[in-house]
Amino acid sequence: MRTYHCFWLLFWAGQPHQSFLTLLSKRTSGFPEKEKVLVLSGNSRRDLNRSKRSWMWNQFFLLEEYTGTDYQYVGKLHSDQDKGDGSLKYILSGDGAGDLFIINENTGDIQATKRLDREEKPVYILRAQAINRKTGRPVEPESEFIIKIHDINDNEPTFTKDVYNASIPEMSDVGTFVVQVTATDADDPTYGNSAKVVYSILQGQPYFSVESETGIIKTALLNMDRENREQYQVVIQAKDMGGQMGGLSGTTTVNITLTDVNDNPPRFPQSTYQFRAPESTPPDSPIGRIKANDADVDENAEIEYSITEGDGYDMFGITTDKDTQEGIITVKKALDFENKNLYILKVEATNTHVDPRFLYLGPFKDSATIRIQVEDVDEPPVFSRPAYIIEVKEDVPINSVIGTVTAQDPDAAKNPVKYSVDRHTDMDRVFNINSGNGSIFTSKPLDRETLLWHNITVIAAEINNPKQSSRVPVFIKVLDVNDNAPEFAMFYETFVCENAKAEQLIQTLSAVDKDDSYSGHQFSFSIAPEAASTSNFTLQDNRDNTAGIFTRKTRYNRHEMSTYLLPVVISDNDYPIQSSTETVTIRVCACDHRGKMLSCNAEALVHPTGLSTGALIAILLCIIILLVTVVLFAALRRQRKKEPLIISKEDIRDNIVSYNDEGGGEEDTQAFDIGTLRNPEAIDDNKLRRDIVPETLFMPRRTATTRDNTDVRDFINQRLKENDTDPAAPPYDSLATYAYEGNGSVAESLSSLESVTTDGDQDYDYLSDWGPRFKKLADMYGAMDSDKDS
């Protein structure tokens, strides 16, 4: 039996334990009116004849949110093995044991140390056991019991949403479903009425109502009109305890929007509209807008406009602007003030989406009258035709009238019109027009074969107002006359073999004619009369606009005659008959027995061993190329230049300018004097160059000598030394140029203010003659001279 008890003890020790810790601000005190005792028994028939163990109560009940100052009493554990001598010890384990629930190990009293919340945990499962205090062995198997937390009404109902949004169509019937709100209560729904929620409406009557049990909101007022009021705010309350006094409550807000239905017809704000339109208004141009008002929105306010009747039904049209729902009146045809200056129309506005439920409210359309006044404008002349086509023969004489255009001023004033040709369409000035009557005449000859069509533009403008003008195209077709003679279709150059036989065909001829023939061209061919009797060839007309050239004799000799020129006369059959004489070149050639040409040159038989012309030309070209090559090579050698001393412009050495003149040796001190570079004192103007003729016979004026300038001398000596030691310096005489600015100047100051040394050198009295502006300047400089004299 102990072995079985030990097994249950190990099994209990191997189970997971949970601990819930809830801190209270203060302890609670107080006990239930009736003490609850759990008795552990040692006899049990069900457990293999071991000591029975039984619970008198297997569960305890405890109120939540206890507010007492002492620990809250839960119940008592007692074992039938307890003799009251303190040898047993009670142990508690399970949910919250040792923290939330504690047990007196001597008496078995169980207490709750913290305030409990059923909504956090409604049931706690614990296990109790009695053990021997000395040996630590259990005297009873572990037993399980439950602590249930009794609910109190400590939670108010809470809606699932803080704010509800709903919408219903306007004009809905009473009882139309709007939305359902839902509130939940965290209290125990099985214990009392703490979680029984009842709904009521606090704000939104008499428009809406709510079902107390379901929270369904419905309409309570008939024919609610969106155009009068669109937004409603309803406040719903949910109260527990079945709505009884003392119950907790929560509220939520429901925003209800009435959506639009087409319950309002369109209405014109006025019955008559008046517009003005100039007669020059082009078709499809708008002349005005009208609008019918509709209290509905979106598609329920869409309007379609139409013209139902009126004398301008076919002159005007109306369309709907989908963005603004306005009717746009447009011109369909050209207006004419002189013909009609007033139109009256009837326009109708109709809803495009009509709701049949509201047809009882009346027809969803409205009509208005529109008066359109046509205004007179100064219009340009109008031609009698939109375009003119004129046909003229190409042989018409110059200045002949070929046609007439006519234009009139459509206005009542009937202003006179003048005509002109747009020269951009007649750049060659082939045609001209009479400005008074519009007669078109030629100014240059016409040629159909050169240009078949002439497309010009005629301008008609009012004489009193030239800006009022109009244009019309004039298409002039040039008709053909037989003014061109037929001619060969190509240049004919043929040959005849020396061994040809008589009546042998050597060439077929064809002809073309630039003129146009309505019945087709018919050409006739013949040999010119002056050559017909002496010709060595005959011509046969095939009557199909072709002709054949035949040989008249047998055998031809190219040494006697190498080329024959055969004149052929070609004539047409039109009126007047045109003819031309064309020449066919016939060369006599050597042929083989099959008639294939071998050679047509007579020289080939005279000099059979000579070179051909092609070979001679090739030899000549080779000789010319050779001569050109030799000439170019000689010219390049003469123009070759010596390599300069300084190749690169970026050479860091001092630039040396070399000359090809040879000096006079060491004793020649007149050709070049280095002393002139050292100091101006060394300048001797009396020394003249011996290599050139003096330019003047007057001796130059000697300048006053100055002291020796040592820094310039040192600079030149330094550069001279560098050139002497430079291995790359040229071996011949050369001039080295340097840029150096010394201290001071021989010319001293160049200021004009200090250049005058005597009173007579400058007189400022003349400044007074220049006017009052310069008198002050003369006085100022005169005062300065007086100060110097004093």
Side-chain angles (χ1 to χ4, degrees):
M1 296 300 291
R2 291 183 179 276
T3 304
Y4 184 79
H5 291 170
C6 180
F7 170 77
W8 277 99
L9 178 62
L10 293 175
F11 176 78
W12 168 83
Q15 299 301 311
H17 299 274
Q18 294 181 350
S19 178
F20 298 89
L21 178 60
T22 305
L23 299 179
L24 299 179
S25 60
K26 57 181 180 179
R27 296 185 178 182
T28 60
S29 63
F31 299 92
E33 295 180 356
K34 184 176 181 180
E35 183 180 13
K36 298 179 181 179
V37 180
L38 288 178
V39 179
L40 301 173
S41 175
N43 298 322
S44 178
R45 295 179 181 180
R46 295 178 300 173
D47 297 338
L48 302 177
N49 297 325
R50 61 181 177 83
S51 298
K52 183 179 179 181
R53 178 188 62 119
S54 63
W55 293 105
M56 296 302 294
W57 286 291
N58 64 347
Q59 61 183 359
F60 294 113
F61 295 92
L62 194 64
L63 289 176
E64 67 171 335
E65 304 293 346
Y66 180 72
T67 58
T69 57
D70 296 330
Y71 291 156
Q72 186 178 5
Y73 184 77
V74 179
K76 183 180 181 66
L77 295 178
H78 182 74
S79 175
D80 55 3
Q81 301 294 329
D82 189 359
K83 304 299 183 181
D85 55 0
S87 61
L88 295 182
K89 178 181 179 181
Y90 293 95
I91 299 175
L92 187 65
S93 62
D95 296 342
D99 180 19
L100 188 59
F101 300 101
I102 60 175
I103 187 171
N104 189 319
E105 61 182 15
N106 296 321
T107 63
D109 293 327
I110 303 173
Q111 291 178 317
T113 62
K114 299 178 181 179
R115 186 170 59 183
L116 303 177
D117 188 358
R118 190 200 67 84
E119 286 71 35
E120 292 184 1
K121 189 174 178 65
V123 176
Y124 294 87
I125 300 175
L126 293 96
R127 292 174 293 276
Q129 192 176 31
I131 63 174
N132 190 289
R133 187 180 297 274
K134 293 182 179 180
T135 63
R137 294 182 179 180
V139 298
E140 289 289 347
E142 187 179 55
S143 299
E144 185 178 84
F145 64 95
I146 299 173
I147 299 177
K148 290 187 176 180
I149 309 301
H150 268 307
D151 183 47
I152 63 173
N153 190 17
D154 60 341
N155 292 279
E156 70 277 0
T158 303
F159 285 92
T160 56
K161 296 180 181 180
D162 294 335
V163 177
Y164 289 82
N165 294 303
S167 62
I168 57 169
E170 63 173 333
M171 309 297 289
S172 297
D173 296 332
V174 175
T176 302
F177 174 83
V178 179
V179 69
Q180 183 176 12
V181 297
T182 303
T184 58
D185 196 318
D187 294 326
D188 189 0
T190 63
Y191 183 76
N193 293 327
S194 299
K196 186 176 181 181
V197 178
V198 174
Y199 300 95
S200 62
I201 184 168
L202 300 182
Q203 176 183 325
Q205 295 176 333
Y207 307 103
F208 301 95
S209 62
V210 62
E211 293 183 358
S212 59
E213 295 182 357
T214 61
I216 296 176
I217 301 174
K218 299 180 179 180
T219 58
L221 190 64
L222 184 64
N223 294 335
M224 287 188 292
D225 193 0
R226 184 198 66 84
E227 287 73 32
N228 294 330
R229 182 177 178 182
E230 185 177 3
Q231 298 287 339
Y232 294 87
Q233 191 175 72
V234 179
V235 178
I236 302 297
Q237 175 184 268
K239 190 174 183 179
D240 60 10
M241 298 297 292
Q244 299 177 3
M245 184 177 296
L248 302 179
S249 63
T251 61
T252 186
T253 301
V254 182
N255 295 323
I256 302 175
T257 303
L258 297 184
T259 58
D260 185 57
V261 297
N262 192 7
D263 59 340
N264 294 279
R267 290 289 181 263
F268 283 106
Q270 58 193 70
S271 60
T272 304
Y273 295 86
Q274 188 162 355
F275 298 98
R276 293 180 178 272
E279 64 175 335
S280 60
T281 304
D284 299 329
S285 299
I287 61 173
R289 289 173 176 253
I290 60 174
K291 184 176 182 180
N293 298 325
D294 194 326
D296 297 321
V297 294
D298 298 332
E299 67 174 13
N300 297 320
E302 292 182 1
I303 301 174
E304 188 70 28
Y305 296 90
S306 61
I307 298 175
T308 57
E309 59 183 65
D311 54 0
Y313 183 82
D314 58 341
M315 298 295 295
F316 299 93
I318 188 169
T319 58
T320 303
D321 188 337
K322 300 300 182 181
D323 296 330
T324 62
Q325 296 302 317
E326 293 178 319
I328 305 174
I329 302 173
T330 58
V331 177
K332 293 173 61 176
K333 296 182 179 180
L335 303 177
D336 189 359
F337 173 82
E338 289 74 23
N339 185 24
K340 187 176 180 61
N341 58 13
L342 179 63
Y343 295 90
I344 299 177
L345 307 174
K346 186 176 181 181
V347 177
E348 188 174 79
T350 308
N351 276 137
T352 56
H353 300 86
V354 179
D355 195 336
R357 296 177 300 171
F358 304 104
L359 290 177
Y360 68 91
L361 297 177
F364 283 79
K365 59 184 178 179
D366 195 15
S367 60
T369 302
I370 298 178
R371 296 171 58 90
I372 301 175
Q373 185 72 40
V374 179
E375 297 178 343
D376 187 24
V377 296
D378 190 7
E379 298 177 276
V382 178
F383 284 94
S384 59
R385 302 179 191 174
Y388 293 85
I389 298 177
I390 300 175
E391 293 183 350
V392 57
K393 291 186 177 182
E394 61 178 327
D395 60 348
V396 64
I398 298 177
N399 295 328
S400 298
V401 176
I402 62 174
T404 303
V405 296
T406 304
Q408 293 182 351
D409 183 10
D411 298 325
K414 300 298 180 182
N415 294 320
V417 177
K418 64 177 181 179
Y419 303 91
S420 62
V421 176
D422 186 356
R423 291 306 173 187
H424 292 90
T425 60
D426 186 22
M427 301 294 292
D428 296 332
R429 297 181 176 269
V430 179
F431 302 96
N432 212 333
I433 190 170
N434 189 308
S435 62
N437 57 21
S439 299
I440 301 175
F441 55 91
T442 59
S443 58
K444 288 184 179 181
L446 303 179
D447 187 5
R448 188 201 68 86
E449 289 72 32
T450 302
L451 187 60
L452 177 62
W453 284 93
H454 294 268
N455 302 327
I456 65 174
T457 299
V458 175
I459 303 173
E462 295 182 7
I463 296 178
N464 299 333
N465 186 9
K467 293 183 179 179
Q468 293 295 334
S469 62
S470 57
R471 297 166 174 263
V472 67
V474 178
F475 306 103
I476 302 173
K477 182 179 181 181
V478 181
L479 301 179
D480 184 46
V481 295
N482 192 23
D483 59 345
N484 290 279
E487 57 188 12
F488 282 150
M490 57 181 293
F491 176 74
Y492 288 102
E493 183 178 4
T494 185
F495 71 95
V496 62
C497 295
E498 288 183 309
N499 55 358
K501 297 180 181 180
E503 300 300 326
Q504 180 179 342
L505 177 66
I506 61 173
Q507 182 65 49
T508 300
L509 307 177
S510 63
V512 294
D513 194 336
K514 294 180 181 179
D515 293 324
D516 191 12
S517 177
Y518 297 101
S519 60
H521 291 291
Q522 290 292 330
F523 303 128
S524 60
F525 299 86
S526 63
I527 298 177
E530 62 273 11
S533 60
T534 61
S535 176
N536 293 313
F537 303 92
T538 61
L539 184 67
Q540 180 180 344
D541 192 346
N542 298 327
R543 304 299 179 182
D544 59 354
N545 294 336
T546 62
I549 300 176
F550 294 85
T551 58
R552 174 173 284 182
K553 64 178 182 177
T554 302
R555 299 192 64 84
Y556 292 84
N557 191 341
R558 56 177 167 166
H559 301 292
E560 296 178 357
M561 180 65 71
S562 61
T563 303
Y564 293 92
L565 299 178
L566 180 66
V568 178
V569 178
I570 311 172
S571 302
D572 56 20
N573 63 343
D574 291 332
Y575 180 82
I577 296 176
Q578 300 289 339
S579 63
S580 64
T581 302
E582 301 288 334
T583 302
V584 179
T585 303
I586 304 174
R587 301 177 63 188
V588 181
C589 301
C591 303
D592 56 11
H593 64 282
R594 291 177 297 180
K596 184 177 181 181
M597 180 180 64
L598 297 178
S599 176
C600 294
N601 296 326
E603 292 80 2
L605 296 176
V606 179
H607 305 286
T609 59
L611 294 176
S612 64
T613 304
L616 293 175
I617 293 174
I619 295 173
L620 182 60
L621 288 177
C622 291
I623 295 174
I624 293 174
I625 293 173
L626 182 60
L627 292 176
V628 171
T629 303
V630 173
V631 171
L632 289 177
F633 180 78
L636 290 176
R637 290 197 60 184
R638 289 186 177 183
Q639 294 180 1
R640 181 178 299 173
K641 297 182 179 179
K642 295 182 179 180
E643 182 177 357
L645 177 64
I646 300 176
I647 300 175
S648 175
K649 293 183 179 180
E650 298 179 357
D651 195 346
I652 61 175
R653 297 177 300 171
D654 295 330
N655 293 333
I656 306 298
V657 181
S658 61
Y659 299 92
N660 293 326
D661 296 336
E662 184 178 356
E666 297 180 357
E667 297 180 356
D668 185 4
T669 59
Q670 300 298 324
F672 181 78
D673 188 5
I674 193 64
T676 58
L677 298 178
R678 297 175 180 170
N679 197 293
E681 295 178 0
I683 298 176
D684 189 358
D685 294 334
N686 293 327
K687 297 179 180 181
L688 302 177
R689 292 188 60 179
R690 297 182 298 177
D691 55 344
I692 62 174
V693 177
E695 297 181 357
T696 178
L697 299 178
F698 299 97
M699 299 300 294
R701 183 177 61 182
R702 180 184 295 272
T703 58
T705 60
T706 59
R707 60 182 179 83
D708 187 12
N709 198 337
T710 58
D711 56 342
V712 177
R713 182 179 65 244
D714 295 340
F715 173 81
I716 295 178
N717 290 335
Q718 178 67 23
R719 292 294 181 269
L720 182 60
K721 183 178 179 181
E722 291 176 359
N723 279 277
D724 293 339
T725 58
D726 187 7
Y732 42 81
D733 295 341
S734 61
L735 174 64
T737 304
Y738 302 98
Y740 179 80
E741 182 179 355
N743 296 327
S745 176
V746 176
E748 298 182 351
S749 175
L750 299 179
S751 174
S752 61
L753 297 178
E754 296 181 2
S755 61
V756 180
T757 58
T758 62
D759 295 339
D761 293 337
Q762 183 69 30
D763 186 8
Y764 298 100
D765 294 338
Y766 69 94
L767 293 176
S768 301
D769 300 333
W770 290 5
R773 295 185 178 180
F774 294 92
K775 187 175 185 303
K776 182 65 176 176
L777 186 62
D779 296 338
M780 183 175 62
Y781 278 97
M784 294 174 59
D785 294 340
S786 300
D787 293 340
K788 290 181 180 180
D789 296 337
S790 60

